Amino acid sequence: MAKRRLVQRNTEAEAGLWGNAGLALLKGVAGWLTGSTALLADAFRSGAEAAQCGAAAIGVRGAKRLPRREAEPGGDDGAVQASNLVVALLTLVVGIEIGISAVRHTAEGLPAAPQWPALAVIAAAWAIKAAFFSVGGGRLETYALAVVLAGTAGAWLGGRLGQPSLLYLDSAAAFFVAVLVTLQGYRLIAAAMPGGKPA
């Protein structure tokens, strides 16, 4: 029973790793081509989630090498704890960098409106995540995608209607994603410390 549970967790973690990595690539390319800062920020968030799923997969593999009574992902393996801490620090740094980039983008002047394909990519990413794999994200995924969609759509609409104030919504959405990623990184660091509770 324990072995079967470990195999299932390993499968879920690997699905989350490759699925989030694919979404990060899709969002990153689309964000760059369409000029959506929010979509680029969400690409980095998906990349951080992929790294977290990768660390979870390492934890499961480490648990397979432990005796049955200790066979829990992330058990006492020092390498697993180290990988979890590295991923947590990486997530925190990514969140801070996204926030700095969003503020810098806003400070440079009136941003350009993102192109409409960004909206289609966000909706497609949401549908893919919901339909094919659910590892990583949860409510964080829902909040982030909802804000990214609203911010990108608002900025695109601002460009169409000639409303300059709406153009800042894209960068505002990127900053919101940065806050979410930074908080997640902080929670992961707390959980990775000895005696910490899972995030």
Side-chain angles (χ1 to χ4, degrees):
M1 181 65 70
K3 185 176 182 180
R4 184 182 303 173
R5 187 165 60 248
L6 289 175
V7 171
Q8 181 181 356
R9 290 182 181 178
N10 184 60
T11 301
E12 292 175 350
E14 289 187 354
L17 168 61
W18 296 111
N20 280 303
L23 286 178
L25 180 61
L26 173 65
K27 294 174 184 177
V29 172
W32 181 67
L33 291 177
T34 62
S36 174
T37 304
L39 190 52
L40 277 173
D42 204 50
F44 284 106
R45 185 187 60 79
S46 291
E49 282 189 11
Q52 293 167 28
C53 290
I58 292 174
V60 172
R61 293 185 188 127
K64 288 180 179 179
R65 297 192 297 268
L66 295 174
R68 179 175 299 181
R69 67 178 184 277
E70 300 176 8
E72 290 296 333
D76 297 324
D77 192 343
V80 173
Q81 292 182 356
S83 68
N84 288 339
L85 184 57
V86 169
V87 169
L89 290 171
L90 177 63
T91 302
L92 182 64
V93 171
V94 166
I96 294 173
E97 285 296 325
I98 293 173
I100 293 174
S101 178
V103 171
R104 184 184 296 121
H105 188 259
T106 302
E108 287 175 352
L110 188 66
Q115 300 173 24
W116 71 264
L119 303 176
V121 170
I122 296 169
W126 204 336
I128 291 171
K129 187 74 180 271
F132 294 103
F133 62 101
S134 59
V135 177
R139 285 182 298 177
L140 177 67
E141 177 82 10
T142 302
Y143 294 154
L145 282 174
V147 170
V148 169
L149 180 59
T152 304
W156 173 77
L157 189 61
R160 298 285 293 180
L161 299 177
Q163 296 292 327
S165 58
L166 294 179
L167 297 177
Y168 291 100
L169 291 177
D170 189 59
S171 296
F175 187 79
F176 181 83
V177 171
V179 172
L180 290 181
V181 175
T182 301
L183 290 175
Q184 179 69 4
Y186 174 78
R187 287 195 292 265
L188 290 172
I189 289 175
M193 293 299 181
K197 295 182 180 179

